[in-house]
Amino acid sequence: MLKEDCASELKVHLAKSLPLPSSVNRPRIDLIVFVINLHSKYSLQNTEESLRHVDASFFLGKVCFLATGAGRESHCSIHRHTVVKLAHTYQSPLLYCDLEVEAFRATMAQRLVRMLQVCAGHVPGVSALNLLSLLRSSEGPSLEDM
Amino acid sequence: MDSYDASESTPRQSTSSRPEDYFIGATFLQKRLESVRKQTSFVPTPPRRKIPHCSLLQEDVDLQKVAFLLHKQWTLYSLTPLYKFSYSNLKEYSRLLNAFIVAEKQKGLAVEVGEDFNIKVIFSTLLGIKGTQRDPEAFLVQILSKSQLPSENRESKVLWTGWFCCIFGDSLLETVSEDFTCLPLFLANGTESNTAIIGTWFQKTFDCYFSPLAINAFNLSWMAAMWTACKMDHYVATTEFLWSVPCSPQSLDISYAIHPEDAKALWDSVHKTPGEVTQEEVDLFMDCLYSHFHRHFKIHLSATRLVRVSTSVASAHTDGKIKILCHKYLIGVLAYLTELAIFQIE
């Protein structure tokens, strides 16, 4: 993501789990991306644990889930419905990307940077909440059977 | 800014309500599209599944006849429906396949010194390996080597065995027409070269397609739970799991063996509804094993990949290898595998 061109300064903070230590002074967080590895149930458990530490105001469009590893189906230990249900429970968008493939990674980076710009308020006329309702309506029908 | 957002969001809401109306008046084609869309590259696990029990095995299955299916390692493939296959032409097929194999081997594709080219191919039906009456009959293909010496002991050695079956394949049977025979599960035991040659012949003759059936960790954990749930009179093997830890330079394997009665006791404490297995129960069963291991070794097994499951009923490997140990639950094991095969075809 840092390779992408962006008008303002872009900082990425990586963490294995939340909560982040509160002793450090850090800039405002605009977007939280939870990366779930579909090959590992531990990754899902970790994410669920971390979600509890996120302030409710973030769920208005500033949180998104990224599921990786869907390409190698034989290695998957988590069913797709589990992550879809998780994203649905937290009212946040779910993106799929095989982070091991270079091309997909680059595309996803572009998409995330764009989302970040919206969440940080740098795109005039579109807010994070707006973006959320936009992304949600395209997934509507498939969630009927949840 | 706020009023602008509100006016932006309302048109979105109205467009999202229209697809809802669309689905209420769904026609058959739309229903089919719906079901196709739901099936992604993952197995659509129904939340509940029946535990295989011994009454499923038909009465006319002769234990002697199926005994050779047990205790052998089979490699799994999924197979698309066979076009214009007829059970009455089995002798004809034997002859054709025999000629094909001999021709292929003489082409020099499989050159082995001292290989006996006197082979015999036999097609035979396996009675009773089916779930419902609608399922087509299973059939078996064997390659036997004829001994070259014309002496009294004419024992033919089985070089290769393969069998085709379909257990509870209703979802597939409904979608194909009369000319096709649906036998989505193919199990092979023998050398790879023979499997490839026979696969080629079937693909050419019946316009079908084989593809290897891999079993992912999700399905392996379901199998572990279902097979532990089976009631057994006596246990012939310990319950064993094998995990592969992805790390460089070489992957590490972790093996965890439990006494089968302990595993059954654990399952019984987790299991709530009789006759059914739910996703939560499977997850809880596996989580108990993971947390027990973590407590002792401080390793998170849930971050690794389940590669092999071995119980007294059967053992399965993620590469698509299976060994069935108990004849009582043969049909039950095959039913689950058929489901995976059908899913892979679709």
Side-chain angles (χ1 to χ4, degrees), chain B residues 60-202:
Chain B
D60 54 1
V61 173
D62 192 358
L63 176 58
Q64 297 300 321
K65 287 215 184 97
V66 298
F68 73 96
L69 297 176
L70 306 175
H71 300 284
K72 256 207 194 84
Q73 176 153 296
W74 302 101
T75 309
L76 297 170
Y77 294 86
S78 67
L79 178 62
T80 57
L82 302 164
Y83 185 62
K84 289 215 182 332
F85 176 84
S86 160
Y87 289 95
S88 47
N89 290 351
L90 293 183
K91 278 215 164 42
E92 178 71 18
Y93 297 146
S94 311
R95 215 176 41 80
L96 289 170
L97 184 53
N98 204 338
F100 184 78
I101 294 175
V102 172
E104 285 289 321
K105 297 225 168 171
Q106 281 176 348
K107 255 196 235 175
L109 286 173
V111 178
E112 276 166 42
V113 176
E115 189 170 331
D116 188 1
F117 276 7
N118 283 346
I119 54 165
K120 203 165 66 155
V121 175
I122 301 183
F123 274 63
S124 52
T125 46
L126 284 170
L127 292 171
I129 310 276
K130 48 157 66 172
T132 63
Q133 285 307 317
R134 272 188 75 186
D135 289 331
E137 287 288 345
F139 72 95
L140 175 75
V141 178
Q142 279 178 308
I143 302 183
L144 308 162
S145 71
K146 284 192 295 204
S147 72
Q148 284 185 317
L149 308 166
S151 60
E152 292 88 29
N153 69 347
R154 285 274 205 89
E155 286 168 27
S156 2
K157 202 173 65 152
V158 177
L159 293 175
W160 185 93
T161 317
W163 50 295
F164 300 74
C165 67
C166 176
I167 317 282
F168 296 115
D170 290 329
S171 58
L172 189 62
L173 291 167
E174 278 165 21
T175 57
V176 298
S177 66
E178 288 290 314
D179 294 330
F180 288 92
T181 313
C182 288
L183 291 160
L185 188 62
F186 173 59
L187 301 94
N189 173 290
T191 58
E192 270 295 307
S193 56
N194 281 333
T195 312
I197 294 174
I198 290 164
T200 318
W201 184 81
F202 268 92

Side-chain angles (χ1 to χ4, degrees), chain A residues 41-42 73-74 78-80, chain B residues 40-43 216 300 302:
Chain A
K41 267 198 217 162
Y42 180 60
E73 194 230 304
S74 57
I78 306 174
H79 196 266
R80 185 192 138 239
Chain B
T40 59
S41 60
F42 287 67
V43 178
N216 64 24
H300 287 283
S302 47

Side-chain angles (χ1 to χ4, degrees), chain B residues 289-337:
Chain B
L289 297 173
Y290 292 153
S291 55
H292 180 82
F293 199 82
H294 179 67
R295 204 169 344 125
H296 288 270
F297 300 102
K298 294 277 174 282
I299 295 179
H300 287 283
L301 281 175
S302 47
T304 62
R305 180 168 71 104
L306 183 58
V307 156
R308 188 163 177 268
V309 167
S310 181
T311 63
S312 295
V313 172
S315 77
H317 190 277
T318 193
D319 290 339
K321 304 224 188 315
I322 186 139
K323 195 192 282 197
I324 307 175
L325 303 169
C326 175
H327 72 272
K328 260 177 30 175
Y329 298 105
L330 176 68
I331 299 291
V333 171
L334 293 174
Y336 189 61
L337 295 173

Side-chain angles (χ1 to χ4, degrees), chain A residues 38-138:
Chain A
L38 290 173
H39 298 182
S40 143
K41 267 198 217 162
Y42 180 60
S43 160
L44 182 67
Q45 284 168 353
N46 212 0
T47 307
E48 283 172 351
E49 268 295 314
S50 306
L51 276 165
R52 290 196 205 128
H53 297 278
V54 178
D55 187 44
S57 64
F58 276 98
F59 291 108
L60 298 172
K62 297 207 175 152
V63 168
C64 108
F65 295 95
L66 181 64
T68 176
R72 278 202 290 178
E73 194 230 304
S74 57
H75 286 220
C76 288
S77 1
I78 306 174
H79 196 266
R80 185 192 138 239
H81 278 188
T82 318
V83 285
V84 172
K85 212 155 84 167
L86 181 70
H88 184 64
T89 315
Y90 285 96
Q91 305 285 325
S92 295
L94 173 63
L95 305 168
Y96 292 97
C97 173
D98 239 334
L99 290 175
E100 293 170 27
V101 180
E102 181 65 43
F104 293 168
R105 241 196 347 245
T107 322
M108 185 49 65
Q110 273 179 355
R111 202 172 166 187
L112 284 175
V113 168
R114 198 72 191 129
M115 270 182 78
L116 180 58
Q117 285 176 331
V118 170
C119 293
H122 290 193
V123 179
V126 188
S127 75
L129 199 52
N130 229 313
L131 188 62
L132 185 64
S133 55
L134 244 177
L135 288 171
R136 219 189 311 167
S137 61
S138 61

